[in-house]
Amino acid sequence: MRSVDPAVVLGPLELPSPVLTASGTFGHGDEVARLGDPSRLGAVTAKSVSAEPWPGKPAPRLHLAAAGMLNAVGLQNPGVVAWLERDLPALRATGARVIASVWGHTVDDFARAAKMLADADVVAIEVNASCPNLHSIHDPSAIFAHDPDATREVVEAVVDASSRPVFAKLSPNVTDLTVIARAALDAGAVGLTLVNTVMGLAVDAETRRPALGGGGGGLSGPAIKPVALRAVHTVTRALPGVPVIGTGGVQSGVDAIEMLLAGASAVAVGTASFRDPRAPYRVLDELRDWCARHDVARVRDLTGALEEW
C-alpha cells in the first residue's frame, strides 16, 4: 500500500492530522490524553470554559438513546483561571495542540473568557455559541447560534478580544444554517465547527418526568451523523472554501472519510470517546488505512470531493 500524507490545512492552521477531538468529550486537561499520544492528532479541543466557574446542570446528566446518547451536563467547568493554571499545562505537556473553547451567558461573558485566554498556549479559540443543554428546552431562542444577529455579535466580541484564529461552533437546530454560518464568518471567524448536538428530550414513563435532571438535552452519536453530513455539505457548497471541522457521529475511519468528502477540512471525534477513550487514534489509523487501500496520497485531497449524481 502507498504512503499517505495525513496533513491538512484548516484555515490558517496547518495540522499534521485531520482528526481532532470534539469539545466536551476529551476532558479539561490530560486525564484522557494520557491514554494515548495526542501529538498524533490534529488538535485537542478542550471542554468549554467560561470566565467564571460554572456548576452545570443537576444529575442525572446522561441518558442512553437509540444509536447515541442525550447529555445535559450544562457546561460545568472550573473557569478560565483554574483551567489555565492546572489543566492547560498538563494537556500541553502531552504534546497536544490545543483549541480552547469558550462560552458564556452574555456577549460580554464570551469576550471576557476570550480575553483571559489572550496569552494562552493554544492554537485557536472555538466559540461555543450553540450548546443546547445550557438553556431551557422551552426557550431555544436563548441559544446564540439560533439567530444570525446574535451569532455575529458574539463571534465579533471574541474575535476582538483574541489574537488567535476563531472558529464558530454552530447548531443544527435551525431552519437555514447557511445564514448563521455566513454571519459568523462576516464577524471574523476563520472557520466553523459543524455541528453541535441535536436538541432532544427523554421521558421516564414511570415517574412522568424528564429522564435528565436539566429537562432536555443534546443528542449525539451515530444517530446524528446524517444531520452533520448534510450540514457540512450544505454550508461548504454555499460558502466554497470555508474551513470546517466536521463533527457528529464520527465513529470510524470511514465516517471520517465521509465527513471530508462532504466538505470538511478536518473531523472531530466526540461521543465515541465516551465508550473508547482511544477512539480518535483508532479513527485516524482507519482513515489512513482506507486512503492507502484506495490510492489516496493526501488526505486533504478528499475535502469536498463528493461526486454528485
Side-chain angles (χ1 to χ4, degrees):
M1 293 190 294
R2 71 181 301 169
S3 62
V4 176
D5 177 7
V8 295
V9 176
L10 184 65
L13 304 180
E14 294 185 6
L15 304 177
S17 160
V19 177
L20 288 66
T21 67
S23 176
T25 64
F26 213 67
H28 280 297
D30 71 327
E31 68 270 38
V32 180
R34 72 183 70 170
L35 298 176
D37 178 10
S39 68
R40 294 182 57 210
L41 303 176
V44 169
T45 307
K47 195 175 188 306
S48 297
V49 291
S50 50
E52 305 296 333
W54 182 251
K57 287 201 169 184
R61 292 175 164 186
L62 299 178
H63 183 81
L64 289 178
M69 72 175 192
L70 280 162
N71 93 84
V73 175
L75 296 171
Q76 176 184 345
N77 76 97
V80 173
V81 172
W83 185 74
L84 287 174
E85 291 179 351
R86 182 183 66 220
D87 296 322
L88 179 59
L91 185 54
R92 285 289 295 120
T94 67
R97 285 160 291 278
V98 180
I99 298 175
S101 176
V102 298
W103 73 274
H105 292 285
T106 67
V107 171
D108 183 62
D109 287 343
F110 276 90
R112 287 195 301 123
K115 189 172 184 179
M116 293 166 73
L117 290 164
D119 298 321
D121 187 11
V122 298
V123 299
I125 302 289
E126 182 179 84
V127 182
N128 185 1
S130 52
C131 180
N133 63 50
L134 179 62
H135 304 284
S136 166
I137 193 172
H138 305 295
D139 187 20
S141 65
I143 299 174
F144 288 95
H146 286 182
D147 177 82
D149 291 334
T151 298
R152 184 179 295 106
E153 188 176 4
V154 74
V155 171
E156 189 172 69
V158 173
V159 169
D160 289 345
S162 175
S163 60
R164 300 292 190 276
V166 171
F167 289 80
K169 188 170 188 177
L170 302 183
S171 169
N173 307 297
V174 295
T175 303
D176 190 345
L177 182 55
T178 300
V179 172
I180 310 293
R182 186 175 284 112
L185 297 172
D186 288 346
V190 301
L192 308 169
T193 301
L194 303 175
V195 287
N196 213 318
T197 54
V198 175
M199 295 179 71
L201 176 69
V203 172
D204 185 330
E206 295 300 320
T207 64
R208 302 190 183 188
R209 294 179 179 273
L212 293 169
L219 176 66
S220 63
I224 77 164
K225 191 181 80 168
V227 175
L229 285 171
R230 178 57 184 262
V232 169
H233 185 51
T234 298
V235 170
T236 55
R237 284 198 57 171
L239 304 170
V242 58
V244 167
I245 302 169
T247 184
V250 175
Q251 306 278 307
S252 68
V254 173
D255 290 337
I257 295 292
E258 293 172 2
M259 198 69 77
L260 295 169
L261 291 173
S265 300
V267 176
V269 177
T271 299
S273 296
F274 286 99
R275 184 175 62 200
D276 174 14
R278 297 179 177 85
Y281 310 108
R282 175 180 52 77
V283 169
L284 174 59
D285 291 339
E286 292 174 358
L287 182 151
R288 295 185 67 162
D289 288 346
W290 186 97
C291 288
R293 292 196 310 272
H294 290 79
D295 205 31
V296 175
R298 302 194 311 170
V299 170
R300 71 183 69 179
D301 293 337
L302 292 171
T303 294
L306 184 67
E307 296 183 6
E308 305 291 345
W309 288 102

